[in-house]
Amino acid sequence: MLRVAHCRVVWYVLLLPCVFALTVPQAPAQNVELKGKVQLARNGRQVRDASKVVVWLTPLGATPAPTPPPQQSSQIPKLVQKDKSFQPSLLVIPAGGLVEFPNQDPFFHNVFSLFDGKRFDLGLYESGTTQFVKFDKPGISFIFCNIHPQMSAVVIAVNTPYYAIANWRGEISIEDVVPGRYEMHVFHPSVSPDALHAAEREITVNAGDGFLGNFSLAESNLELAHKNKYGRDYDRPEPESPAYARP
């Protein structure tokens, strides 16, 4: 009897690690901070400021797609109209978020976007007033003023929390990325759509590997041509018009 009991104890000890492995859940893979660098060139020479390069990741296959956190009323970004320019000229927001367009110039503006992305026309509104636009779906919206052709900006609405805007050195950091497969998207307002499409690629994020990679973009010599909101060339400035003259 003693020998039988001893054998039972031995088998129990040998089986215990297997039972423990089956009953204790495995720890989830640790999320990753991805870092990379982009070089921006123009006419074959490196551009010093790469701060308008945007990179974002969309999940592929079985990779979970986390929902971006809802936008709080205190977090609504502003695209300020000042000195006949949009400040800042680039925003990245979660799809479904709002952007405020305050007019801080002493004359009228007419903000509109008729390209891909969010299509809207805010009409004429005067100094000291503001408007709001909801960017209800993912996309890239090119923003202009119907009065001042030199004004332009870009709003990128993304359906992912995994995005980053490069600093002036071209350094990129995307935090808390779940390991898995992703499509990497890239944008810069001065790079042609074909070049941006060529920069897209599928990546696999692994736990413990936070290197996104190094890549290069070439600015185009062609400026983004645009008409006014009626599809015509812009009128010449009229000095007596309240849209141009200071009160």
Side-chain angles (χ1 to χ4, degrees):
M1 290 295 294
L2 183 60
R3 180 174 297 178
V4 172
H6 177 72
C7 292
R8 288 177 179 175
V9 171
V10 170
W11 277 107
Y12 179 77
V13 172
L14 292 174
L15 289 174
L16 184 60
C18 299
V19 175
F20 185 77
L22 292 173
T23 57
V24 177
Q26 297 296 314
Q30 186 176 4
N31 293 355
V32 180
E33 179 183 5
L34 293 178
K35 292 187 177 182
K37 189 170 185 178
V38 57
Q39 286 189 343
L40 194 62
R42 186 178 184 88
N43 297 326
R45 303 183 65 177
Q46 185 173 343
V47 177
R48 295 188 62 185
D49 186 0
S51 60
K52 291 185 179 180
V53 176
V54 182
V55 176
W56 67 100
L57 308 177
T58 54
L60 294 174
T63 304
T67 303
Q71 187 184 56
Q72 304 298 322
S73 58
S74 60
Q75 299 174 333
I76 298 175
K78 295 182 179 181
L79 212 56
V80 179
Q81 298 142 74
K82 187 175 182 180
D83 299 329
K84 295 182 183 178
S85 65
F86 290 109
Q87 302 177 14
S89 60
L90 174 68
L91 285 177
V92 182
I93 65 168
L98 291 171
V99 173
E100 183 178 1
F101 290 85
N103 182 1
Q104 295 183 7
D105 272 328
F107 38 77
F108 287 91
H109 284 297
N110 181 178
V111 179
F112 75 96
S113 178
L114 300 178
F115 290 75
D116 293 339
K118 177 70 175 183
R119 298 171 65 89
F120 63 91
D121 177 6
L122 299 183
L124 280 174
Y125 61 106
E126 62 185 349
S127 174
T129 60
T130 192
Q131 301 269 13
F132 291 84
V133 174
K134 183 177 182 179
F135 292 79
D136 42 14
K137 63 179 182 179
I140 300 172
S141 302
F142 293 90
I143 316 295
F144 301 106
C145 176
N146 194 54
I147 303 170
H148 308 100
Q150 71 270 39
M151 295 177 62
S152 65
V154 177
V155 175
I156 303 177
V158 295
N159 201 21
T160 172
Y162 307 135
Y163 64 86
I165 303 176
N167 61 20
W168 70 271
R169 298 184 186 89
E171 297 166 341
I172 296 165
S173 177
I174 305 177
E175 297 181 350
D176 206 27
V177 180
V178 175
R181 293 172 52 230
Y182 295 89
E183 183 79 14
M184 186 183 79
H185 307 268
V186 183
F187 177 83
H188 187 279
S190 297
V191 177
S192 70
D194 289 342
L196 293 173
H197 181 70
E200 294 182 351
R201 66 176 186 265
E202 180 180 329
I203 66 170
T204 299
V205 178
N206 297 308
D209 182 7
F211 184 56
L212 184 61
N214 298 326
F215 55 98
S216 300
L217 295 173
E219 289 187 329
S220 170
N221 290 320
L222 298 177
E223 298 294 333
L224 179 64
H226 69 279
K227 304 289 186 179
N228 65 16
K229 68 179 184 180
Y230 303 110
R232 302 194 297 264
D233 291 334
Y234 277 77
D235 297 329
R236 295 183 61 185
E238 299 178 11
E240 301 303 320
S241 167
Y244 298 93
R246 295 180 179 271

